[in-house]
Structure formats: C-alpha cells, structure tokens
Amino acid sequence: MRSPGRPEPSRAAQREFWRLIATGITTVQAAKGMGVSAPVGIRWFRHAGGMAPLSLDEPTGRYLSFAEREEIALLKAQDKGVREIARAIGRDPGTVSRELRRNAATRGGKPVYRAVVAQWKAQQAAKRRKTAKLVHNERLREYVQDRLAGHVRRPDGTIVSGPATPRWKGLNKPHRQDRRWSTAWSPEQIAQRLKVEFPHDESMRISHEAIYQSLFIEGRGALKRELVACLRTGRALREPRARSRNKPQGHVTADVVLSERPAEAEDRAVPGHWEGDLIIGTGRSAIGTLVERSSRSTLLVHLPRMEGWGEKPYVKNGPSLGGYGAAAMNAALTASMAKLPDQLRKTLTWDRGKELSGHALFALETGTRVFFADPHSPWQRPTNENTNGLLRQYFPKGTDLARWSAEDIEAVAHALNNRPRKVLGWKTPAEVFGEQLRSVQQAGVASTD
C-alpha cells in the first residue's frame, strides 16, 4: 500500500470536525476548534459538499484508536516486547502483533512503526468502497436525472427552452439573474414518486439522501455536480441545518433572544406585551404592525419614505430612504408606543429584521424591553402573524403602501380593533383594551391615595 503523501486526518478528527459543524458554527470556527488552519477546514468542508462523509457515531472498542496506536509507537521505540505492550494498553498480544506487522511504515526499506502512518493504513484498509446505486443502475439514473434536470414542456409536449444562462462555475445560483428552467423535482419528491410509479420493482428505489450525496459529495459519481443548480436553493454546497438557524446577526445578542422574555408574556394573562413586524409593499414601502398579545389590539405604524427617495442616487451603506431603515423605524415606533401608559408597554417581540437594529435606544426611550424570535420561527409571534394576514385584505402584496397617509392606516386599525373575536368571547379588541386602560388608571389612582 503506497502512501499518497501526508496522511488524511484520522476518523476521530473528522468526526469531531463534523460534530462542530453540526452545532451551527462556521467552517473557520470548526477548523479553529480542531486546531487546524482555516484553509484546511474549508477544504474538508468543500470536498465533502457540506455533508459529513462518515458516521458521527463513535466506533466500538473492537478497533484500536489513534491514542492506542500512539502508545504502541512509544513503547515500541523503547524496545518493549509485544506482550508488555499488550498489557500496557489492555489488549490481546495477537492484536498488537498484527498491528505491528500490518500497519508499520516501510518507506525506508525496513518496518518502523509510526502512529500516524498506522492510523492512515488502518483507515484505508477499513474502507468498504461501494458503488453508488445510481452508477450501476442506468434506468434509475435516467429517471432521477430527468425529474431533476429535465426539460420544461408545454401540455402538448413541446420543449420550452427558457432563458439563456451562463455556464455553471461551481458557485451558488446567480443572484438576481436568470436560472436554467428544468423539471426541478426535489430529491424527496423523486424518491417517493418511484414507489408510486414502480410499486413492484425494488430495483427502482433510492432514498432522497442518496440523491443529495450524489449531487454534493465530490467523487461520488453518477450525477454531475452542476445539477445542484436545478435544486430549488441552487446551493453548490449543502448548508447544515443548525447553521441556517444560527446565522450571525449583530443586533441580536444573548440578552434579547426570546428565551429571555418574562414568563408572564407567554400566558397572555398580563396585558402590556406586544408582538411586531412589517408588512412590505413595492418600492421599499412598508407599514409597521403592533399587536397586544392579551387584547389583540392593533397599532399600525406609518412609515413614509424619507426625503430624497427616488431622486438621489443609491449610496452603498448609506442611509435607508425607503421608510423603514433603523433610524426611521425607531422614531416611528417610539412615537406610537409613547402614547400608551407605562404598564401597557412592557415588552415587544419582533422578528430578526435589521429594521429594529437600534432596539437598545428604543428600549431606553420607551421603557419597553425588546426581544427577538428565533430565525424562521413565525409561530413564536402567532398573534402578529394572524393580524398581518387580516391586514392583507386592505394592503395586498405587490401594492405601494407608501401612498396611504397616517390617517388612512389609522382608520384600518380602527376597523380591525372593532371586529368581534371568537378568542375574546366575541368582544372586540377595542373593548378589551379599554378595560385594560381603565384597570391601569384605577390602579394608578389607588396607589396615589
């Protein structure tokens, strides 16, 4: 067995690297955690297509570990015998004898046992290279490839060529540019449809994970790498799920995540806890929405475009003139919340949008603590999401929301707050909110007396 040069990292090291990746940290951070350079970690990640190429389960004690091989190498260098080495590491003498015979380095002409080379030899011998199913099953490969990258056809069967696109360069889908039109079934759709179309043909079976591996992992063969452009995401590398949920956002720190929100906000028994978001229109137009969790009362925040919008040329990293930049959002939110009594503006739960990146100043000016929901978790702001759906009756998607004045959107909020709600026992949000206001005022008078 001829060494190709520097041995690849041990399986233990690879497992640890992919375990770190699975926690959601970046490739550079995982490489640092492993004690290797960033380029090495990036190379491991890219060669594997972003997918762990081996099981992350620890091997059984049947096999020698790298630490045991290091101990064998040290004892062998001290001219210790096989039985003495075996007693020292707690193994059978036959195991140690075979290890020294099979995995010793022979580059200099005579066997010299080195732990690193022995580990590499053991890993090479342990590989059970299996031909991918899509390689030797041509019929299955054609089915998968046609459903993934086949031509788009009209109902009469004629091919629609779609837009002309540049050659794939190994990168993600082009940003704001035409993409190739293809059948574009997902691997899961393909895998499940096979069972429907070939119920009695077991040779026409493949898991969606095997299709993903054929696309992403280098050297797996069968499907060409450029077919990743036919996936909906168009990613050249697979993104670990934990990483997609853990993208760094500078304005969201550990003290303002949803888990830090007071428990009283959860059961809706105590008023004063709000949920907020934006509804977006065309031309960088938006309306802010605030909903009180207990009464379901709605406040709409007017966000007019700033002076110079559409007239001044775009400036990279310059001030946002669309109406919902951080500065404009802070000012508008502060003006809306300041109208409420202190007891009715305790917390505000927002999504991860950058429009509220100035939340610290907002909290200081209004006394309202801001918390951010987890990424891609709209169910953590259910009242607000439901209200936004109701508001789309008045402000449909694809329309310019900046054309409406503050008085117009206030009228819509008034209409919404005077609709009876089943969850409120057919009371209106305005009635429940009025009761809350009176309760707060009475408590204030009692404390003064």
Side-chain angles (χ1 to χ4, degrees):
M1 185 183 296
R2 183 179 177 183
S3 171
R6 182 173 181 176
E8 64 184 12
S10 68
R11 291 197 165 220
Q14 292 183 61
R15 270 190 213 95
E16 185 59 28
F17 174 77
W18 286 104
R19 285 196 190 105
L20 291 173
I21 290 291
T23 64
I25 64 176
T26 66
T27 308
V28 173
Q29 290 170 329
K32 185 178 179 181
M34 283 299 301
V36 299
S37 66
V40 169
I42 292 170
R43 185 168 65 247
W44 291 352
F45 188 84
R46 291 192 67 85
H47 284 185
M51 302 176 67
L54 74 171
S55 171
L56 300 186
D57 295 332
E58 283 293 340
T60 64
R62 172 185 173 187
Y63 304 100
L64 287 172
S65 66
F66 182 62
E68 288 175 315
R69 289 191 167 97
E70 285 184 319
E71 189 68 21
I72 291 172
L74 287 171
L75 295 172
K76 182 64 178 173
Q78 298 170 17
D79 291 328
K80 303 294 185 182
V82 169
R83 292 185 179 277
E84 190 174 353
I85 295 173
R87 283 195 298 271
I89 66 172
R91 291 282 187 172
D92 187 87
T95 301
V96 177
S97 179
R98 281 193 303 273
E99 174 68 15
L100 292 171
R101 185 174 67 253
R102 289 177 178 175
N103 296 331
T106 56
R107 206 167 183 182
K110 74 176 188 177
V112 178
Y113 189 84
R114 294 189 179 90
V116 175
V117 177
Q119 182 72 18
W120 173 79
K121 282 192 170 186
Q123 287 179 191
Q124 295 299 110
K127 286 180 179 177
R128 300 290 184 269
R129 294 200 176 274
K130 182 181 177 182
T131 305
K133 196 171 187 179
L134 290 177
V135 173
H136 61 74
N137 191 333
E138 186 176 348
R139 182 179 171 217
L140 180 59
R141 182 173 68 250
E142 288 178 357
Y143 182 95
V144 171
Q145 193 159 299
D146 184 60
R147 269 66 181 176
L148 182 67
H151 294 291
V152 173
R153 298 175 183 272
R154 294 189 177 92
D156 61 4
T158 57
I159 294 176
V160 180
S161 58
T165 56
R167 187 174 61 87
W168 187 71
K169 298 180 180 178
L171 305 175
N172 287 350
K173 65 185 178 185
H175 182 60
R176 296 185 182 275
Q177 295 181 32
D178 287 326
R179 294 178 63 187
R180 174 190 166 189
W181 284 13
S182 63
T183 317
W185 286 23
S186 72
E188 186 174 14
Q189 288 170 330
I190 296 171
Q192 297 302 322
R193 186 65 185 180
L194 279 166
K195 300 175 185 177
V196 176
E197 295 191 22
F198 305 96
H200 306 298
D201 189 351
E202 290 299 321
S203 67
M204 296 295 285
R205 295 286 186 274
I206 190 169
S207 68
H208 65 277
E209 192 66 18
I211 299 175
Y212 278 121
Q213 288 178 359
S214 294
L215 289 170
F216 285 114
I217 297 181
E218 190 174 302
R220 193 54 69 96
L223 299 177
K224 296 179 180 178
R225 281 278 287 127
E226 56 261 31
L227 294 185
V228 296
C230 298
L231 296 174
R232 181 187 59 80
T233 61
R235 294 193 189 102
L237 297 174
R238 197 177 197 185
E239 183 177 17
R241 184 173 295 173
R243 183 180 293 180
S244 68
R245 296 175 177 173
N246 195 29
K247 289 184 178 176
Q249 290 165 308
H251 66 289
V252 181
T253 53
D255 59 324
V256 293
V257 295
L258 189 69
S259 58
E260 298 297 315
R261 189 176 69 177
E264 68 175 32
E266 188 65 31
D267 59 9
R268 303 175 187 267
V270 179
H273 300 283
W274 297 77
E275 297 174 6
D277 195 11
L278 296 177
I279 54 174
I280 306 294
T282 57
R284 300 287 294 172
S285 61
I287 295 174
T289 64
L290 297 170
V291 187
E292 205 275 321
R293 284 176 57 83
S294 178
S295 66
R296 276 71 172 180
S297 184
T298 301
L299 289 178
L300 295 184
V301 182
H302 186 226
L303 298 170
R305 296 189 182 107
M306 298 180 71
E307 184 179 352
W309 186 89
E311 301 172 2
K312 297 179 180 179
Y314 169 74
V315 179
K316 186 175 181 180
N317 296 327
S320 173
L321 303 180
Y324 56 97
M329 193 73 208
N330 253 10
L333 268 184
T334 301
S336 296
M337 295 293 283
K339 300 174 184 177
L340 301 171
D342 292 348
Q343 298 91 328
L344 292 183
R345 45 184 166 97
K346 297 175 181 177
T347 69
L348 171 62
T349 303
W350 204 265
D351 70 356
R352 293 281 174 122
K354 292 291 183 70
E355 64 273 1
L356 211 60
S357 57
H359 60 87
L361 180 60
F362 168 77
L364 185 66
E365 293 179 345
T366 63
T368 305
R369 297 179 63 191
V370 178
F371 299 93
F372 292 93
D374 297 330
H376 317 298
S377 303
W379 57 87
Q380 294 178 347
R381 299 176 298 101
T383 312
N384 184 239
E385 287 292 324
N386 179 63
T387 302
N388 287 350
L390 298 176
L391 286 168
R392 283 300 185 185
Q393 179 179 349
Y394 304 94
F395 309 113
K397 292 182 180 180
T399 60
D400 183 3
L401 304 184
R403 57 186 165 152
W404 305 115
S405 66
E407 291 75 18
D408 292 332
I409 66 172
E410 187 177 352
V412 172
H414 178 77
L416 214 60
N417 288 331
N418 284 278
R419 290 173 58 176
R421 296 287 191 91
K422 180 178 180 180
V423 73
L424 300 176
W426 303 113
K427 291 183 178 181
T428 67
E431 290 170 343
V432 177
F433 194 70
E435 293 171 3
Q436 293 174 350
L437 278 174
R438 287 191 291 275
S439 175
V440 166
Q441 290 167 354
Q442 289 171 2
V445 170
S447 62
T448 304
D449 294 342

